[in-house]
Amino acid sequence: MSKKSIIILIIIFLLFSVFSYFVGYYTGKGVSSPIQPFSSTKFKLLTEVAEYIEERFVDKKTEVDLCKGLVKSLNDPYSEFYTPEEFISFQEETRGEYVGIGVLIGVREGKVKILMVFKNSPAKEVGLPEGAYIMEVDGKSIKGMSLDEVANLVKGKEGTYVDLKVEKDGKILSFHIQRRRVTAESVMVKRLDEDIGYMKIIFFIPSTPGEVKKGFKKLKGIKGLILDLRGNPGGLLSSVEGVAGYFIPEGPLLYIQRKDEKEERVSRGPGIKIPLVVLIDENTASAAEILSGAIKDR
């Protein structure tokens, strides 16, 4: 075999290897826009691979596929690529307003569980029970689906209906629920007795600091507080910053390490002046971890 032939084979092998690497990460949703080359010369190899995939690969791949694969290759569970439609949905969720049935779901023991049913929600009206595991959505088994995939099936256009089949305490239950615009409450409070208050923060959305403030007014006069962050998946950093001052004295809250700089976020205080117990579990994440960790450090 000639030296030229060997070089050509090596180039083909390298292209195929990179091509296989990218194909392994594709998880797109079939958006029809064609792959466009990167504008920067820094990404010349990526452009060549993208063009090679578009020319040779049997299934059609798009810019969205490429971007999702690229972000996924970071191996960072907190980095994700959104399409404009997905980003709008994400913004709705972080505002606590969306079209759905009014439940908080999460993965427990490998299954999708209804963690909370919001009051005044369509789910509450039909008696959908908390603690039930979702089995089917509109007659389709959710086995093997991600949490986001299940959530997207449950959500839909306002006024339409969704059929859920759930399992609770060994019983199979079916529900026909209308989707409506839901405004989620992120804070629940109650008095356990005259002196002890209980506050549960479900997640951190823009309204959470105001809800915490109202919660403390309802609990006026308590001599101790239980702050429940169990199952809290997190939320907006700006929201937890607004909440922190009710529990933590004025001072540093966290540091954000960016590529070239370190940014400090602070608590405005004054902090809580009574005994405080914080409840967390393995599902306390993100912004909730920030708050619980900062409280512990103080």
Side-chain angles (χ1 to χ4, degrees):
M1 183 180 292
S2 68
K3 186 175 181 181
K4 182 177 180 181
S5 298
I6 293 173
I7 292 173
I8 291 173
L9 283 174
I10 291 173
I11 292 173
I12 291 174
F13 174 77
L14 289 173
L15 281 173
F16 181 77
S17 298
V18 178
F19 158 79
S20 300
Y21 173 81
F22 276 100
V23 169
Y25 281 104
Y26 286 138
T27 57
K29 298 181 179 178
V31 179
S32 59
S33 59
I35 294 173
Q36 298 295 328
F38 290 92
S39 59
S40 173
T41 55
K42 292 181 180 179
F43 300 107
K44 183 180 178 182
L45 178 60
L46 287 178
T47 299
E48 292 176 356
V49 172
E51 291 173 347
Y52 189 86
I53 291 172
E54 187 170 30
E55 291 174 4
R56 303 293 183 90
F57 192 57
V58 64
D59 294 327
K60 191 71 175 178
K61 296 298 174 183
T62 68
E63 285 179 319
V64 171
D65 297 325
L66 189 61
C67 291
K68 284 183 178 289
L70 188 61
V71 174
K72 188 174 181 179
S73 71
L74 298 174
N75 292 321
D76 178 7
Y78 302 107
S79 296
E80 190 168 350
F81 176 85
Y82 289 129
T83 64
E85 294 79 12
E86 290 168 340
F87 185 62
I88 290 172
S89 177
F90 172 75
Q91 286 181 310
E92 287 181 342
E93 291 175 3
T94 55
R95 286 197 302 266
E97 297 181 0
Y98 63 96
V99 174
I101 62 173
V103 296
L104 177 67
I105 62 175
V107 176
R108 300 292 185 271
E109 300 174 354
K111 297 183 289 186
V112 177
K113 187 176 185 179
I114 299 170
L115 304 179
M116 182 170 294
V117 178
F118 300 125
K119 64 181 182 180
N120 302 320
S121 68
K124 190 74 171 179
E125 291 171 4
V126 301
L128 185 67
E130 293 181 356
Y133 292 96
I134 298 176
M135 299 178 65
E136 294 181 5
V137 179
D138 286 334
K140 184 177 182 179
S141 172
I142 67 162
K143 188 175 181 179
M145 292 186 185
S146 68
L147 187 63
D148 284 343
E149 288 173 327
V150 176
N152 288 333
L153 285 178
V154 174
K155 291 187 293 185
K157 291 184 178 180
E158 190 170 5
T160 60
Y161 286 81
V162 61
D163 292 313
L164 292 187
K165 183 177 286 186
V166 303
E167 182 270 323
K168 177 73 182 289
D169 298 329
K171 296 180 180 179
I172 305 300
L173 307 170
S174 297
F175 296 89
H176 185 62
I177 311 172
Q178 186 180 38
R179 298 179 177 102
R180 296 205 307 262
R181 183 155 293 279
V182 175
T183 301
E185 293 185 4
S186 64
V187 179
M188 296 171 53
V189 298
K190 61 182 178 181
R191 287 179 181 267
L192 300 182
D193 59 31
E194 187 176 337
D195 295 328
I196 304 299
Y198 170 87
M199 177 180 291
K200 181 174 181 62
I201 301 180
I202 303 165
F203 37 62
F204 291 92
I205 56 178
S207 64
T208 305
E211 291 183 57
V212 169
K213 183 177 181 179
K214 290 179 181 178
F216 272 112
K217 288 182 178 179
K218 291 180 180 179
L219 298 174
K220 187 176 180 179
I222 59 172
K223 297 178 181 178
L225 177 69
I226 297 172
L227 175 62
D228 192 350
L229 298 176
R230 292 175 297 179
N232 186 319
L236 298 176
L237 179 58
S238 58
S239 178
V240 76
E241 285 183 85
V243 167
Y246 292 100
F247 301 99
I248 303 169
E250 185 175 352
L253 174 63
L254 76 150
Y255 294 94
I256 300 174
Q257 182 63 58
R258 304 190 186 280
K259 186 176 181 180
D260 300 314
E261 61 180 350
K262 190 175 184 179
E263 180 182 345
E264 181 185 67
R265 299 293 179 91
V266 299
S267 166
R268 304 297 179 187
I272 195 165
K273 307 298 184 183
I274 57 176
L276 174 67
V277 173
V278 180
L279 304 180
I280 61 172
D281 62 13
E282 68 275 12
N283 299 303
T284 303
S286 187
E289 286 182 291
I290 290 172
L291 181 59
S292 61
I295 291 173
K296 184 178 180 181
D297 288 344
R298 296 301 179 90

